[in-house]
Amino acid sequence: MGFLDSLIVSAFAHSATTASSAVEPPSLDPATYQEPTEALYWGGSADAQLPLAGERVVAANLTVEGFDRRVLDGRVFVIEDFGQTWPMANWDCDFFKTDPDFKKAEIMQQYAKSR
């Protein structure tokens, strides 16, 4: 057995001992899933009151790490000044009525009672 083979065997042995002491991954069985309450999910705490409002952040105060942490934690948040310079920031109903592409759009209502 050469040096590289020894190194590979050693790495596998280490990962096997590390894996056995690791925390169990979450279950993939949908029967064990628990949905958070709306107050907890949207409001950030179980006793949040209506209207439920997520955390509001100004883009200049948000780091990549802070954004990633919020997303990975599943937290609802609003970046208040994001997209202000995008062309669609000023789109309103009149835009959709007069735009050559959007004015031809057909919309089908789904998942709601029709009038």
Side-chain angles (χ1 to χ4, degrees):
M1 182 182 288
F3 173 74
L4 186 55
D5 294 328
S6 300
L7 186 60
I8 292 171
V9 168
S10 174
F12 279 126
H14 175 70
S15 66
T17 59
T18 304
S20 65
S21 62
V23 175
E24 285 291 318
S27 170
L28 298 179
D29 178 8
T32 64
Y33 296 169
Q34 292 184 349
E35 287 289 325
T37 64
E38 288 182 7
L40 179 59
Y41 183 76
W42 294 105
S45 70
D47 58 349
Q49 300 296 312
L50 292 175
L52 301 174
E55 174 187 12
R56 302 187 83 76
V57 183
V58 175
N61 298 336
L62 185 63
T63 63
V64 172
E65 294 80 15
F67 177 87
D68 289 345
R69 186 184 70 250
R70 287 171 176 87
V71 170
L72 292 173
D73 287 347
R75 290 171 45 196
V76 175
F77 64 99
V78 174
I79 304 173
E80 291 187 348
D81 55 347
F82 191 76
Q84 287 181 336
T85 60
W86 293 7
M88 67 185 103
N90 296 317
W91 290 4
D92 58 9
C93 291
D94 288 331
F95 171 82
F96 288 96
K97 290 179 196 174
T98 58
D99 180 79
D101 292 318
F102 285 114
K103 73 179 183 182
K104 296 182 282 187
E106 294 183 25
I107 300 172
M108 180 173 37
Q109 182 177 2
Q110 295 182 351
Y111 306 110
K113 294 179 181 180
S114 59
R115 294 184 205 191

